[in-house]
Amino acid sequence: MEPLQRQWTIGQHTFHFEAPDLLWAKHQGYCTLDEARGMVSLYRELGGIRPFFLLSDMEQAEGMESEARRHVSENLRPEWLLGVIYFNARLLHKAIARGLVLAAQLTRSEDDPPRTEIHFVSNRDSARVLSEQLRARREEHRV
């Protein structure tokens, strides 16, 4: 089942769902705690329907409040995501993403599923290609 709504705006950040399992995000400016709460809520809603790939354009992103980072690391569930692919990311974004993953790993119990894979590519086209490769790899492992 696909989500009924296909586009969302949270603060300055925009999201667009593309069937079967891609959530495209364009992050702009600084991410506040309220925006992080909205994003986690969106991920929970979509992930409850079916796991998805999150493909995030970071070209105009500026960073995250520390409380926002904490909220995401404590509330994001790996079962919602098939993978995360960042593109147009700078060193700041890579450090934040790796920090979120590390924090999530430290707070995860033994019964939780393994962490979500995070990838960095140079542009949107590369993100699409990688998502297709990751989807194909997942399908191979199911057979």
Side-chain angles (χ1 to χ4, degrees), residues 53-71:
F53 290 99
L54 176 61
L55 297 93
S56 293
D57 182 350
M58 304 302 287
E59 186 171 22
Q60 297 177 7
E62 295 177 8
M64 293 179 85
E65 291 178 354
S66 60
E67 294 85 9
R69 288 192 304 268
R70 184 174 317 121
H71 180 77

Side-chain angles (χ1 to χ4, degrees), residues 76-92:
L76 191 64
R77 298 291 169 248
E79 61 267 19
W80 301 338
L81 299 166
L82 298 171
V84 178
I85 303 170
Y86 291 100
F87 57 101
N88 296 325
R90 297 184 306 276
L91 184 57
L92 167 69

